[in-house]
Amino acid sequence: MILTVTPNTALDITYRVRSLRPHTSHRVSEVVERPGGKGINVARVLAALGHPVTVTGFAGGGTGRAIQEQLTATPGVTDALVPVSGASRRTVAVVDTSTGDTTQLNEPGPLITPSEWSAFQEAYAHLLTSASAVALCGSLPPGVPVGAYAGLVRTARAAGVPVLLDTGGEALRRGVAARPDLIKPNADELAELTGSHEPLRATQDARRRGARSVVASLGAQGLLAVTPEGRWRAAPPARVHGNPTGAGDSAVAGLLSGLVENLPWPARLARATALSAATVLSPVAGEFDRPAYEKLLAGVSVTGEVSAA
């Protein structure tokens, strides 16, 4: 199975309004609730691709119960969330249907106690014994050490499990130093990590900082990958419009599924790019438009070069 870690799980609430205007009341045309947080979004896409996946992280309070109830009803996903005393967070996405733009509101998450963090670390180490790959995803809730991902990367490496890190800020900077197999920053996260806004230079710098491979998400321009095997750029056949929430998480699912299937890098990148674009066409994160995905996959352009042996 593939393991995804979401320390800061959430109940994602998506509102759709005709036109979002500040300082006014709005009539909501549709409300959708889903378990969320980056790793949970990754897990749902992996399950839809046919990969058994286990979700761990923290869950607490009424929001945590709602997250777990919905996860239990998701085919292919196993709930291994660790209980905590605080209430899990909510995120609210407001979609303006006239423009397709989305406004996101993210709560900080529950305060994690030292004993709860220790219990999670024990559960994580046990889950790794049956994992083919692990993804460490998203923000850290209050109380979790900022260097937590670095420790989790080291634990996975010691267990011989390939590890993908998808976070930002100081958590990314410290996590990269622990030498994950892959990181997937977006352009802003990559620039913050390296100080460079030139994608290729920044991606190469991120590798020098410790990541074995780096796949940078460049929005509508697709993905840029620098790996020991070579470097490539993957771009969708056309720009898509819709809700971008969760598009990066779908790219992570594409990369992870390609890893466990032993696909060559160009095929992994094509899958990740197509999934990301097809998620923009879906109304909520953690889902993708399958017919659009299959059409996009056939049209993804992947260019690059293989490194000399």
Side-chain angles (χ1 to χ4, degrees):
M1 63 86 177
I2 298 174
L3 177 64
T4 71
V5 177
T6 312
N8 214 2
T9 56
L11 184 65
D12 286 346
I13 304 168
T14 302
Y15 293 136
R16 298 180 71 84
V17 299
R18 180 175 296 179
S19 178
L20 181 62
R21 293 168 293 161
H23 317 301
T24 63
S25 297
H26 295 79
R27 186 176 297 277
V28 177
S29 61
E30 182 183 10
V31 181
V32 178
E33 289 189 354
R34 292 285 190 279
K38 293 178 74 63
I40 289 179
N41 294 338
V42 172
R44 286 208 303 270
V45 174
L46 284 168
L49 292 171
H51 288 276
V53 58
T54 296
V55 170
T56 192
F58 299 108
T63 307
R65 287 192 296 274
I67 291 169
Q68 291 186 285
E69 288 171 2
Q70 293 195 42
L71 279 179
T72 301
T74 304
V77 176
T78 298
D79 168 22
L81 294 171
V82 175
V84 295
S85 57
S88 298
R89 66 185 178 132
R90 297 161 298 180
T91 69
V92 178
V94 183
V95 180
D96 183 326
T97 59
S98 67
T99 64
D101 293 336
T102 301
T103 299
Q104 191 86 15
L105 304 173
N106 297 327
E107 295 179 359
L111 176 64
I112 305 302
T113 67
S115 61
E116 290 167 344
W117 175 237
S118 295
F120 168 77
Q121 289 176 288
E122 291 180 11
Y124 171 72
H126 175 71
L127 289 167
L128 284 174
T129 61
S130 56
S132 56
V134 57
L136 309 175
C137 303
S139 62
L140 298 171
V144 174
V146 70
Y149 278 139
L152 298 181
V153 168
R154 293 187 189 101
T155 302
R157 286 177 55 83
V161 178
V163 55
L164 183 155
L165 177 62
D166 184 17
T167 187
E170 185 66 11
L172 175 60
R173 189 183 71 81
R174 297 198 186 192
V176 165
R179 306 186 68 80
D181 294 276
L182 174 63
I183 63 171
K184 194 220 63 68
N186 61 32
D188 291 339
E189 292 164 345
L190 187 61
E192 183 179 5
L193 174 66
T194 65
S196 174
H197 291 272
E198 199 290 307
L200 180 58
R201 181 180 303 154
T203 304
Q204 291 171 326
D205 185 26
R207 280 202 70 213
R208 286 191 290 269
R209 291 169 184 262
R212 176 174 170 80
S213 298
V214 181
V215 177
S217 178
L218 305 179
Q221 298 177 48
L223 301 175
L224 169 64
V226 178
T227 80
E229 292 79 19
R231 66 187 190 192
W232 295 271
R233 294 196 73 139
R239 187 184 184 96
V240 296
H241 299 277
N243 179 8
T245 306
D249 305 330
S250 292
V252 168
L255 294 169
L256 271 180
S257 62
L259 168 67
V260 299
E261 293 173 28
N262 293 313
L263 296 181
W265 271 106
R268 297 185 205 181
L269 295 168
R271 178 182 291 180
T273 301
L275 281 170
S276 181
T279 298
V280 174
L281 298 172
S282 176
V284 294
E287 297 181 4
F288 62 96
D289 184 315
R290 188 173 291 274
Y293 161 66
E294 294 172 355
K295 184 176 180 180
L296 286 161
L297 182 61
V300 170
S301 169
V302 182
T303 58
E305 56 188 14
V306 177
S307 295

